[in-house]
Amino acid sequence: QVQLQESGPGLVKPSETLSLTCSVSGYSISGGHYWGWIRQSPGKGLEWIGSVIHTGTSYYNPSLKSRVNISMDTSKNQFSLTVTSVTAADTAVYYCARGASYWGQGTLVTVSS
Amino acid sequence: EIVLTQSPATLSLSPGERATLSCRASQSISNYLAWFQQKPGQAPRLLIYDASNRATGIPARFSGSGSGTDFTLTISSLEPEDFAVYYCQQRNNWLWTFGQGTKVEIK
């Protein structure tokens, strides 16, 4: 059974870098599929941030591309998200997902001083 | 960027009624459309992929149709647990976008 779990700081200061990790169990991330990050600001809809495929190639939302990086660590069966120069607008629940089928439970990240 | 427009924003129905949700793409996306259900405090759940295929474990009362730019999610007879927010999502050239959501609420 594929399971995903997000982890990382729940509070980040403005202008700093947000870093999250998604730990995957039940499936090897190097075995295929694409692994992505999606966020949801409080009371708002879903926003795709980006995805990385098993080859390591990444794809990003054009509106966030300049500030976002997604990478894989196959030795730990994890993939990670970094968002630089955060503002209050980056406050959201961040989800990791395998394709569209399997999602983590989400983790709330608040940007505040 | 492909924009998905969902309508209506809110649908007020009673249990047992039929729900019809619409999603329109700003350009053709073939059948690369999925539908998700989201309840408060939960992650989205995949209902339909590739426009008309039910995901594993999804009841038959959920069905999807459409291709190109116009898509529909139909819930044939609403159960109490179906009142939630529904999002459509497209994948084109590895880039995703979501619609803004339709809330199905109890009338």
PDB file of all heavy atoms in Angstrom, chain A residues 34 38 40 44-48 53 59-60 95 99-101 103-104, chain B residues 1 36 38 42-44 46 87 89 91 93-96 98-100:
ATOM      1  N   TYR A  34       5.046   9.993 -11.363  1.00  0.00           N
ATOM      2  CA  TYR A  34       5.543  11.316 -11.067  1.00  0.00           C
ATOM      3  C   TYR A  34       5.065  11.765  -9.707  1.00  0.00           C
ATOM      4  O   TYR A  34       3.990  11.396  -9.264  1.00  0.00           O
ATOM      5  CB  TYR A  34       5.233  12.333 -12.175  1.00  0.00           C
ATOM      6  CG  TYR A  34       3.804  12.440 -12.612  1.00  0.00           C
ATOM      7  CD1 TYR A  34       3.005  13.488 -12.174  1.00  0.00           C
ATOM      8  CD2 TYR A  34       3.273  11.535 -13.521  1.00  0.00           C
ATOM      9  CE1 TYR A  34       1.705  13.614 -12.597  1.00  0.00           C
ATOM     10  CE2 TYR A  34       1.975  11.650 -13.949  1.00  0.00           C
ATOM     11  CZ  TYR A  34       1.184  12.685 -13.488  1.00  0.00           C
ATOM     12  OH  TYR A  34      -0.111  12.813 -13.908  1.00  0.00           O
ATOM     13  N   ILE A  38       1.408  19.927  -4.147  1.00  0.00           N
ATOM     14  CA  ILE A  38       0.216  20.748  -4.363  1.00  0.00           C
ATOM     15  C   ILE A  38      -0.038  21.487  -3.057  1.00  0.00           C
ATOM     16  O   ILE A  38       0.190  20.947  -1.969  1.00  0.00           O
ATOM     17  CB  ILE A  38      -1.006  19.859  -4.705  1.00  0.00           C
ATOM     18  CG1 ILE A  38      -0.754  19.032  -5.954  1.00  0.00           C
ATOM     19  CG2 ILE A  38      -2.262  20.710  -4.869  1.00  0.00           C
ATOM     20  CD1 ILE A  38      -0.255  17.620  -5.677  1.00  0.00           C
ATOM     21  N   GLN A  40      -2.679  24.398  -0.771  1.00  0.00           N
ATOM     22  CA  GLN A  40      -4.024  24.965  -0.636  1.00  0.00           C
ATOM     23  C   GLN A  40      -3.991  26.031   0.445  1.00  0.00           C
ATOM     24  O   GLN A  40      -3.831  25.711   1.631  1.00  0.00           O
ATOM     25  CB  GLN A  40      -5.020  23.859  -0.274  1.00  0.00           C
ATOM     26  CG  GLN A  40      -6.463  24.283  -0.277  1.00  0.00           C
ATOM     27  CD  GLN A  40      -7.399  23.091  -0.198  1.00  0.00           C
ATOM     28  OE1 GLN A  40      -7.112  22.100   0.465  1.00  0.00           O
ATOM     29  NE2 GLN A  40      -8.530  23.171  -0.879  1.00  0.00           N
ATOM     30  N   LYS A  44      -9.105  28.338   0.347  1.00  0.00           N
ATOM     31  CA  LYS A  44      -8.983  28.498  -1.099  1.00  0.00           C
ATOM     32  C   LYS A  44      -8.913  27.153  -1.815  1.00  0.00           C
ATOM     33  O   LYS A  44      -9.022  26.095  -1.200  1.00  0.00           O
ATOM     34  CB  LYS A  44      -7.716  29.313  -1.421  1.00  0.00           C
ATOM     35  CG  LYS A  44      -7.684  30.688  -0.772  1.00  0.00           C
ATOM     36  CD  LYS A  44      -8.785  31.593  -1.274  1.00  0.00           C
ATOM     37  CE  LYS A  44      -8.650  32.988  -0.681  1.00  0.00           C
ATOM     38  NZ  LYS A  44      -9.770  33.873  -1.123  1.00  0.00           N
ATOM     39  N   GLY A  45      -8.704  27.224  -3.127  1.00  0.00           N
ATOM     40  CA  GLY A  45      -8.637  26.016  -3.931  1.00  0.00           C
ATOM     41  C   GLY A  45      -7.238  25.423  -3.985  1.00  0.00           C
ATOM     42  O   GLY A  45      -6.322  25.857  -3.297  1.00  0.00           O
ATOM     43  N   LEU A  46      -7.089  24.420  -4.817  1.00  0.00           N
ATOM     44  CA  LEU A  46      -5.837  23.688  -4.956  1.00  0.00           C
ATOM     45  C   LEU A  46      -4.934  24.354  -5.986  1.00  0.00           C
ATOM     46  O   LEU A  46      -5.396  24.791  -7.047  1.00  0.00           O
ATOM     47  CB  LEU A  46      -6.125  22.247  -5.383  1.00  0.00           C
ATOM     48  CG  LEU A  46      -6.995  21.439  -4.414  1.00  0.00           C
ATOM     49  CD1 LEU A  46      -7.470  20.156  -5.078  1.00  0.00           C
ATOM     50  CD2 LEU A  46      -6.221  21.125  -3.151  1.00  0.00           C
ATOM     51  N   GLU A  47      -3.653  24.402  -5.690  1.00  0.00           N
ATOM     52  CA  GLU A  47      -2.659  24.974  -6.606  1.00  0.00           C
ATOM     53  C   GLU A  47      -1.526  23.975  -6.781  1.00  0.00           C
ATOM     54  O   GLU A  47      -0.859  23.598  -5.805  1.00  0.00           O
ATOM     55  CB  GLU A  47      -2.110  26.296  -6.078  1.00  0.00           C
ATOM     56  CG  GLU A  47      -1.066  26.925  -6.988  1.00  0.00           C
ATOM     57  CD  GLU A  47      -0.533  28.242  -6.465  1.00  0.00           C
ATOM     58  OE1 GLU A  47      -0.410  28.388  -5.230  1.00  0.00           O
ATOM     59  OE2 GLU A  47      -0.199  29.125  -7.289  1.00  0.00           O
ATOM     60  N   TRP A  48      -1.311  23.540  -8.014  1.00  0.00           N
ATOM     61  CA  TRP A  48      -0.185  22.654  -8.308  1.00  0.00           C
ATOM     62  C   TRP A  48       1.105  23.459  -8.252  1.00  0.00           C
ATOM     63  O   TRP A  48       1.213  24.523  -8.868  1.00  0.00           O
ATOM     64  CB  TRP A  48      -0.373  22.037  -9.689  1.00  0.00           C
ATOM     65  CG  TRP A  48       0.754  21.187 -10.168  1.00  0.00           C
ATOM     66  CD1 TRP A  48       1.109  19.960  -9.709  1.00  0.00           C
ATOM     67  CD2 TRP A  48       1.667  21.495 -11.230  1.00  0.00           C
ATOM     68  NE1 TRP A  48       2.194  19.480 -10.425  1.00  0.00           N
ATOM     69  CE2 TRP A  48       2.546  20.399 -11.365  1.00  0.00           C
ATOM     70  CE3 TRP A  48       1.826  22.578 -12.091  1.00  0.00           C
ATOM     71  CZ2 TRP A  48       3.574  20.368 -12.303  1.00  0.00           C
ATOM     72  CZ3 TRP A  48       2.836  22.560 -13.035  1.00  0.00           C
ATOM     73  CH2 TRP A  48       3.707  21.461 -13.138  1.00  0.00           C
ATOM     74  N   ILE A  53       9.642  13.514 -12.093  1.00  0.00           N
ATOM     75  CA  ILE A  53       9.414  12.145 -12.535  1.00  0.00           C
ATOM     76  C   ILE A  53      10.600  11.268 -12.144  1.00  0.00           C
ATOM     77  O   ILE A  53      11.638  11.779 -11.686  1.00  0.00           O
ATOM     78  CB  ILE A  53       9.123  12.063 -14.042  1.00  0.00           C
ATOM     79  CG1 ILE A  53      10.310  12.556 -14.857  1.00  0.00           C
ATOM     80  CG2 ILE A  53       7.869  12.832 -14.380  1.00  0.00           C
ATOM     81  CD1 ILE A  53      10.116  12.345 -16.367  1.00  0.00           C
ATOM     82  N   TYR A  59       9.108  19.536 -13.302  1.00  0.00           N
ATOM     83  CA  TYR A  59       8.197  20.431 -14.010  1.00  0.00           C
ATOM     84  C   TYR A  59       7.561  21.340 -12.953  1.00  0.00           C
ATOM     85  O   TYR A  59       7.183  20.868 -11.878  1.00  0.00           O
ATOM     86  CB  TYR A  59       7.121  19.635 -14.740  1.00  0.00           C
ATOM     87  CG  TYR A  59       7.684  18.662 -15.736  1.00  0.00           C
ATOM     88  CD1 TYR A  59       8.022  17.366 -15.353  1.00  0.00           C
ATOM     89  CD2 TYR A  59       7.897  19.043 -17.057  1.00  0.00           C
ATOM     90  CE1 TYR A  59       8.561  16.482 -16.256  1.00  0.00           C
ATOM     91  CE2 TYR A  59       8.440  18.154 -17.981  1.00  0.00           C
ATOM     92  CZ  TYR A  59       8.772  16.872 -17.566  1.00  0.00           C
ATOM     93  OH  TYR A  59       9.309  16.003 -18.468  1.00  0.00           O
ATOM     94  N   TYR A  60       7.411  22.627 -13.292  1.00  0.00           N
ATOM     95  CA  TYR A  60       6.950  23.577 -12.295  1.00  0.00           C
ATOM     96  C   TYR A  60       5.808  24.441 -12.818  1.00  0.00           C
ATOM     97  O   TYR A  60       5.726  24.749 -14.006  1.00  0.00           O
ATOM     98  CB  TYR A  60       8.109  24.488 -11.848  1.00  0.00           C
ATOM     99  CG  TYR A  60       9.267  23.748 -11.243  1.00  0.00           C
ATOM    100  CD1 TYR A  60      10.503  23.710 -11.882  1.00  0.00           C
ATOM    101  CD2 TYR A  60       9.120  23.065 -10.032  1.00  0.00           C
ATOM    102  CE1 TYR A  60      11.576  23.028 -11.331  1.00  0.00           C
ATOM    103  CE2 TYR A  60      10.192  22.371  -9.480  1.00  0.00           C
ATOM    104  CZ  TYR A  60      11.409  22.350 -10.134  1.00  0.00           C
ATOM    105  OH  TYR A  60      12.462  21.658  -9.583  1.00  0.00           O
ATOM    106  N   TYR A  95       0.596  19.519   0.227  1.00  0.00           N
ATOM    107  CA  TYR A  95       0.397  18.091   0.032  1.00  0.00           C
ATOM    108  C   TYR A  95       1.468  17.547  -0.913  1.00  0.00           C
ATOM    109  O   TYR A  95       1.806  18.211  -1.902  1.00  0.00           O
ATOM    110  CB  TYR A  95      -0.958  17.802  -0.622  1.00  0.00           C
ATOM    111  CG  TYR A  95      -2.179  18.182   0.173  1.00  0.00           C
ATOM    112  CD1 TYR A  95      -2.868  19.356  -0.080  1.00  0.00           C
ATOM    113  CD2 TYR A  95      -2.687  17.328   1.158  1.00  0.00           C
ATOM    114  CE1 TYR A  95      -4.016  19.698   0.622  1.00  0.00           C
ATOM    115  CE2 TYR A  95      -3.832  17.655   1.870  1.00  0.00           C
ATOM    116  CZ  TYR A  95      -4.481  18.837   1.590  1.00  0.00           C
ATOM    117  OH  TYR A  95      -5.621  19.176   2.293  1.00  0.00           O
ATOM    118  N   GLY A  99       1.371  10.974  -8.558  1.00  0.00           N
ATOM    119  CA  GLY A  99       0.381  11.191  -9.599  1.00  0.00           C
ATOM    120  C   GLY A  99      -0.849  11.835  -9.000  1.00  0.00           C
ATOM    121  O   GLY A  99      -0.744  12.736  -8.166  1.00  0.00           O
ATOM    122  N   ALA A 100      -2.008  11.355  -9.401  1.00  0.00           N
ATOM    123  CA  ALA A 100      -3.247  11.879  -8.848  1.00  0.00           C
ATOM    124  C   ALA A 100      -3.852  10.944  -7.809  1.00  0.00           C
ATOM    125  O   ALA A 100      -4.788  11.319  -7.108  1.00  0.00           O
ATOM    126  CB  ALA A 100      -4.266  12.104  -9.970  1.00  0.00           C
ATOM    127  N   SER A 101      -3.283   9.742  -7.699  1.00  0.00           N
ATOM    128  CA  SER A 101      -3.950   8.681  -6.944  1.00  0.00           C
ATOM    129  C   SER A 101      -3.667   8.659  -5.458  1.00  0.00           C
ATOM    130  O   SER A 101      -4.549   8.338  -4.661  1.00  0.00           O
ATOM    131  CB  SER A 101      -3.573   7.326  -7.544  1.00  0.00           C
ATOM    132  OG  SER A 101      -3.921   7.260  -8.906  1.00  0.00           O
ATOM    133  N   TRP A 103      -2.119  10.555  -2.043  1.00  0.00           N
ATOM    134  CA  TRP A 103      -1.796  11.849  -1.442  1.00  0.00           C
ATOM    135  C   TRP A 103      -1.382  11.669   0.019  1.00  0.00           C
ATOM    136  O   TRP A 103      -1.878  10.780   0.715  1.00  0.00           O
ATOM    137  CB  TRP A 103      -3.016  12.763  -1.469  1.00  0.00           C
ATOM    138  CG  TRP A 103      -3.438  13.202  -2.839  1.00  0.00           C
ATOM    139  CD1 TRP A 103      -3.828  12.398  -3.870  1.00  0.00           C
ATOM    140  CD2 TRP A 103      -3.542  14.542  -3.313  1.00  0.00           C
ATOM    141  NE1 TRP A 103      -4.163  13.160  -4.965  1.00  0.00           N
ATOM    142  CE2 TRP A 103      -3.994  14.489  -4.648  1.00  0.00           C
ATOM    143  CE3 TRP A 103      -3.298  15.788  -2.745  1.00  0.00           C
ATOM    144  CZ2 TRP A 103      -4.202  15.627  -5.429  1.00  0.00           C
ATOM    145  CZ3 TRP A 103      -3.510  16.926  -3.505  1.00  0.00           C
ATOM    146  CH2 TRP A 103      -3.951  16.848  -4.836  1.00  0.00           C
ATOM    147  N   GLY A 104      -0.475  12.549   0.474  1.00  0.00           N
ATOM    148  CA  GLY A 104      -0.218  12.630   1.896  1.00  0.00           C
ATOM    149  C   GLY A 104      -1.368  13.344   2.581  1.00  0.00           C
ATOM    150  O   GLY A 104      -2.287  13.855   1.934  1.00  0.00           O
TER     151      GLY A 104
ATOM    152  N   GLU B   1      -0.711  28.823 -20.252  1.00  0.00           N
ATOM    153  CA  GLU B   1      -1.272  28.039 -19.169  1.00  0.00           C
ATOM    154  C   GLU B   1      -2.742  27.733 -19.471  1.00  0.00           C
ATOM    155  O   GLU B   1      -3.492  28.612 -19.893  1.00  0.00           O
ATOM    156  CB  GLU B   1      -1.165  28.786 -17.843  1.00  0.00           C
ATOM    157  CG  GLU B   1      -1.802  28.076 -16.664  1.00  0.00           C
ATOM    158  CD  GLU B   1      -1.761  28.893 -15.387  1.00  0.00           C
ATOM    159  OE1 GLU B   1      -0.821  29.691 -15.220  1.00  0.00           O
ATOM    160  OE2 GLU B   1      -2.663  28.739 -14.548  1.00  0.00           O
ATOM    161  N   PHE B  36     -11.669  15.347  -8.509  1.00  0.00           N
ATOM    162  CA  PHE B  36     -11.354  15.053  -7.117  1.00  0.00           C
ATOM    163  C   PHE B  36     -12.503  15.502  -6.224  1.00  0.00           C
ATOM    164  O   PHE B  36     -13.192  16.486  -6.522  1.00  0.00           O
ATOM    165  CB  PHE B  36     -10.102  15.805  -6.658  1.00  0.00           C
ATOM    166  CG  PHE B  36      -8.833  15.365  -7.320  1.00  0.00           C
ATOM    167  CD1 PHE B  36      -8.451  15.894  -8.541  1.00  0.00           C
ATOM    168  CD2 PHE B  36      -8.021  14.418  -6.726  1.00  0.00           C
ATOM    169  CE1 PHE B  36      -7.273  15.499  -9.149  1.00  0.00           C
ATOM    170  CE2 PHE B  36      -6.839  14.017  -7.323  1.00  0.00           C
ATOM    171  CZ  PHE B  36      -6.475  14.559  -8.537  1.00  0.00           C
ATOM    172  N   GLN B  38     -13.088  16.694  -2.190  1.00  0.00           N
ATOM    173  CA  GLN B  38     -12.387  17.078  -0.975  1.00  0.00           C
ATOM    174  C   GLN B  38     -13.380  17.453   0.120  1.00  0.00           C
ATOM    175  O   GLN B  38     -14.271  18.252  -0.097  1.00  0.00           O
ATOM    176  CB  GLN B  38     -11.429  18.242  -1.213  1.00  0.00           C
ATOM    177  CG  GLN B  38     -10.544  18.524   0.004  1.00  0.00           C
ATOM    178  CD  GLN B  38      -9.563  19.660  -0.206  1.00  0.00           C
ATOM    179  OE1 GLN B  38      -9.848  20.626  -0.912  1.00  0.00           O
ATOM    180  NE2 GLN B  38      -8.388  19.560   0.409  1.00  0.00           N
ATOM    181  N   GLN B  42      -9.425  17.198   4.959  1.00  0.00           N
ATOM    182  CA  GLN B  42      -8.912  15.991   4.308  1.00  0.00           C
ATOM    183  C   GLN B  42      -8.185  16.340   3.012  1.00  0.00           C
ATOM    184  O   GLN B  42      -8.447  17.376   2.399  1.00  0.00           O
ATOM    185  CB  GLN B  42     -10.055  15.021   3.993  1.00  0.00           C
ATOM    186  CG  GLN B  42     -10.759  14.469   5.220  1.00  0.00           C
ATOM    187  CD  GLN B  42     -11.815  13.432   4.844  1.00  0.00           C
ATOM    188  OE1 GLN B  42     -11.844  12.895   3.732  1.00  0.00           O
ATOM    189  NE2 GLN B  42     -12.691  13.128   5.802  1.00  0.00           N
ATOM    190  N   ALA B  43      -7.308  15.437   2.614  1.00  0.00           N
ATOM    191  CA  ALA B  43      -6.671  15.558   1.309  1.00  0.00           C
ATOM    192  C   ALA B  43      -7.699  15.254   0.220  1.00  0.00           C
ATOM    193  O   ALA B  43      -8.674  14.533   0.450  1.00  0.00           O
ATOM    194  CB  ALA B  43      -5.499  14.585   1.208  1.00  0.00           C
ATOM    195  N   PRO B  44      -7.493  15.793  -0.960  1.00  0.00           N
ATOM    196  CA  PRO B  44      -8.373  15.445  -2.078  1.00  0.00           C
ATOM    197  C   PRO B  44      -8.325  13.945  -2.367  1.00  0.00           C
ATOM    198  O   PRO B  44      -7.301  13.291  -2.159  1.00  0.00           O
ATOM    199  CB  PRO B  44      -7.788  16.243  -3.249  1.00  0.00           C
ATOM    200  CG  PRO B  44      -7.065  17.377  -2.609  1.00  0.00           C
ATOM    201  CD  PRO B  44      -6.495  16.809  -1.346  1.00  0.00           C
ATOM    202  N   LEU B  46      -9.078  11.127  -5.428  1.00  0.00           N
ATOM    203  CA  LEU B  46      -9.313  10.962  -6.860  1.00  0.00           C
ATOM    204  C   LEU B  46     -10.596  10.172  -7.087  1.00  0.00           C
ATOM    205  O   LEU B  46     -10.768   9.082  -6.547  1.00  0.00           O
ATOM    206  CB  LEU B  46      -8.125  10.239  -7.508  1.00  0.00           C
ATOM    207  CG  LEU B  46      -8.256   9.940  -9.001  1.00  0.00           C
ATOM    208  CD1 LEU B  46      -8.260  11.231  -9.800  1.00  0.00           C
ATOM    209  CD2 LEU B  46      -7.107   9.029  -9.450  1.00  0.00           C
ATOM    210  N   TYR B  87     -13.183  19.247  -7.443  1.00  0.00           N
ATOM    211  CA  TYR B  87     -12.238  19.952  -8.308  1.00  0.00           C
ATOM    212  C   TYR B  87     -11.966  19.133  -9.562  1.00  0.00           C
ATOM    213  O   TYR B  87     -11.804  17.916  -9.490  1.00  0.00           O
ATOM    214  CB  TYR B  87     -10.893  20.158  -7.602  1.00  0.00           C
ATOM    215  CG  TYR B  87     -10.932  21.078  -6.405  1.00  0.00           C
ATOM    216  CD1 TYR B  87     -11.070  20.570  -5.117  1.00  0.00           C
ATOM    217  CD2 TYR B  87     -10.812  22.461  -6.562  1.00  0.00           C
ATOM    218  CE1 TYR B  87     -11.098  21.408  -4.011  1.00  0.00           C
ATOM    219  CE2 TYR B  87     -10.844  23.306  -5.457  1.00  0.00           C
ATOM    220  CZ  TYR B  87     -10.986  22.766  -4.197  1.00  0.00           C
ATOM    221  OH  TYR B  87     -11.010  23.608  -3.108  1.00  0.00           O
ATOM    222  N   GLN B  89      -9.131  18.746 -12.712  1.00  0.00           N
ATOM    223  CA  GLN B  89      -7.689  18.947 -12.852  1.00  0.00           C
ATOM    224  C   GLN B  89      -7.244  18.418 -14.204  1.00  0.00           C
ATOM    225  O   GLN B  89      -7.704  17.350 -14.627  1.00  0.00           O
ATOM    226  CB  GLN B  89      -6.937  18.224 -11.730  1.00  0.00           C
ATOM    227  CG  GLN B  89      -5.426  18.193 -11.860  1.00  0.00           C
ATOM    228  CD  GLN B  89      -4.915  16.851 -12.338  1.00  0.00           C
ATOM    229  OE1 GLN B  89      -5.457  15.801 -12.012  1.00  0.00           O
ATOM    230  NE2 GLN B  89      -3.849  16.876 -13.125  1.00  0.00           N
ATOM    231  N   ARG B  91      -3.892  17.611 -16.936  1.00  0.00           N
ATOM    232  CA  ARG B  91      -2.452  17.397 -17.077  1.00  0.00           C
ATOM    233  C   ARG B  91      -2.120  17.494 -18.564  1.00  0.00           C
ATOM    234  O   ARG B  91      -2.528  16.692 -19.360  1.00  0.00           O
ATOM    235  CB  ARG B  91      -2.037  16.043 -16.516  1.00  0.00           C
ATOM    236  CG  ARG B  91      -2.794  14.878 -17.112  1.00  0.00           C
ATOM    237  CD  ARG B  91      -2.355  13.558 -16.488  1.00  0.00           C
ATOM    238  NE  ARG B  91      -3.112  12.435 -17.039  1.00  0.00           N
ATOM    239  CZ  ARG B  91      -2.787  11.747 -18.109  1.00  0.00           C
ATOM    240  NH1 ARG B  91      -1.689  12.071 -18.775  1.00  0.00           N
ATOM    241  NH2 ARG B  91      -3.518  10.739 -18.532  1.00  0.00           N
ATOM    242  N   ASN B  93       1.163  18.189 -21.137  1.00  0.00           N
ATOM    243  CA  ASN B  93       2.610  18.378 -21.230  1.00  0.00           C
ATOM    244  C   ASN B  93       3.248  18.461 -19.849  1.00  0.00           C
ATOM    245  O   ASN B  93       4.089  19.323 -19.590  1.00  0.00           O
ATOM    246  CB  ASN B  93       2.942  19.622 -22.040  1.00  0.00           C
ATOM    247  CG  ASN B  93       2.549  19.466 -23.494  1.00  0.00           C
ATOM    248  OD1 ASN B  93       2.576  18.371 -24.041  1.00  0.00           O
ATOM    249  ND2 ASN B  93       2.142  20.560 -24.099  1.00  0.00           N
ATOM    250  N   TRP B  94       2.819  17.606 -18.969  1.00  0.00           N
ATOM    251  CA  TRP B  94       3.376  17.459 -17.631  1.00  0.00           C
ATOM    252  C   TRP B  94       3.010  18.607 -16.680  1.00  0.00           C
ATOM    253  O   TRP B  94       3.391  18.589 -15.513  1.00  0.00           O
ATOM    254  CB  TRP B  94       4.907  17.338 -17.651  1.00  0.00           C
ATOM    255  CG  TRP B  94       5.382  16.126 -18.377  1.00  0.00           C
ATOM    256  CD1 TRP B  94       5.847  16.062 -19.649  1.00  0.00           C
ATOM    257  CD2 TRP B  94       5.425  14.783 -17.876  1.00  0.00           C
ATOM    258  NE1 TRP B  94       6.180  14.769 -19.969  1.00  0.00           N
ATOM    259  CE2 TRP B  94       5.936  13.962 -18.906  1.00  0.00           C
ATOM    260  CE3 TRP B  94       5.083  14.194 -16.650  1.00  0.00           C
ATOM    261  CZ2 TRP B  94       6.109  12.591 -18.755  1.00  0.00           C
ATOM    262  CZ3 TRP B  94       5.254  12.833 -16.485  1.00  0.00           C
ATOM    263  CH2 TRP B  94       5.768  12.050 -17.538  1.00  0.00           C
ATOM    264  N   LEU B  95       2.299  19.598 -17.159  1.00  0.00           N
ATOM    265  CA  LEU B  95       1.892  20.703 -16.293  1.00  0.00           C
ATOM    266  C   LEU B  95       0.444  20.518 -15.884  1.00  0.00           C
ATOM    267  O   LEU B  95      -0.403  20.201 -16.708  1.00  0.00           O
ATOM    268  CB  LEU B  95       2.070  22.048 -17.012  1.00  0.00           C
ATOM    269  CG  LEU B  95       3.455  22.335 -17.559  1.00  0.00           C
ATOM    270  CD1 LEU B  95       3.492  23.731 -18.183  1.00  0.00           C
ATOM    271  CD2 LEU B  95       4.514  22.220 -16.476  1.00  0.00           C
ATOM    272  N   TRP B  96       0.181  20.694 -14.611  1.00  0.00           N
ATOM    273  CA  TRP B  96      -1.161  20.543 -14.076  1.00  0.00           C
ATOM    274  C   TRP B  96      -1.786  21.915 -13.830  1.00  0.00           C
ATOM    275  O   TRP B  96      -1.084  22.884 -13.496  1.00  0.00           O
ATOM    276  CB  TRP B  96      -1.122  19.847 -12.721  1.00  0.00           C
ATOM    277  CG  TRP B  96      -0.802  18.404 -12.699  1.00  0.00           C
ATOM    278  CD1 TRP B  96      -0.228  17.658 -13.678  1.00  0.00           C
ATOM    279  CD2 TRP B  96      -1.010  17.521 -11.591  1.00  0.00           C
ATOM    280  NE1 TRP B  96      -0.075  16.369 -13.241  1.00  0.00           N
ATOM    281  CE2 TRP B  96      -0.549  16.252 -11.972  1.00  0.00           C
ATOM    282  CE3 TRP B  96      -1.550  17.688 -10.305  1.00  0.00           C
ATOM    283  CZ2 TRP B  96      -0.614  15.136 -11.125  1.00  0.00           C
ATOM    284  CZ3 TRP B  96      -1.605  16.588  -9.460  1.00  0.00           C
ATOM    285  CH2 TRP B  96      -1.147  15.329  -9.868  1.00  0.00           C
ATOM    286  N   PHE B  98      -5.706  23.192 -11.780  1.00  0.00           N
ATOM    287  CA  PHE B  98      -6.961  22.821 -11.149  1.00  0.00           C
ATOM    288  C   PHE B  98      -8.020  23.873 -11.463  1.00  0.00           C
ATOM    289  O   PHE B  98      -7.708  25.071 -11.621  1.00  0.00           O
ATOM    290  CB  PHE B  98      -6.813  22.751  -9.629  1.00  0.00           C
ATOM    291  CG  PHE B  98      -6.011  21.587  -9.129  1.00  0.00           C
ATOM    292  CD1 PHE B  98      -4.640  21.717  -8.929  1.00  0.00           C
ATOM    293  CD2 PHE B  98      -6.609  20.369  -8.839  1.00  0.00           C
ATOM    294  CE1 PHE B  98      -3.884  20.653  -8.463  1.00  0.00           C
ATOM    295  CE2 PHE B  98      -5.869  19.302  -8.366  1.00  0.00           C
ATOM    296  CZ  PHE B  98      -4.507  19.438  -8.181  1.00  0.00           C
ATOM    297  N   GLY B  99      -9.266  23.424 -11.506  1.00  0.00           N
ATOM    298  CA  GLY B  99     -10.373  24.365 -11.499  1.00  0.00           C
ATOM    299  C   GLY B  99     -10.530  24.964 -10.116  1.00  0.00           C
ATOM    300  O   GLY B  99      -9.891  24.524  -9.157  1.00  0.00           O
ATOM    301  N   GLN B 100     -11.411  25.941 -10.003  1.00  0.00           N
ATOM    302  CA  GLN B 100     -11.569  26.650  -8.734  1.00  0.00           C
ATOM    303  C   GLN B 100     -12.494  25.924  -7.757  1.00  0.00           C
ATOM    304  O   GLN B 100     -12.591  26.328  -6.588  1.00  0.00           O
ATOM    305  CB  GLN B 100     -12.083  28.079  -8.977  1.00  0.00           C
ATOM    306  CG  GLN B 100     -13.578  28.187  -9.228  1.00  0.00           C
ATOM    307  CD  GLN B 100     -14.007  27.854 -10.644  1.00  0.00           C
ATOM    308  OE1 GLN B 100     -13.292  27.205 -11.415  1.00  0.00           O
ATOM    309  NE2 GLN B 100     -15.204  28.317 -11.006  1.00  0.00           N
TER     310      GLN B 100
END
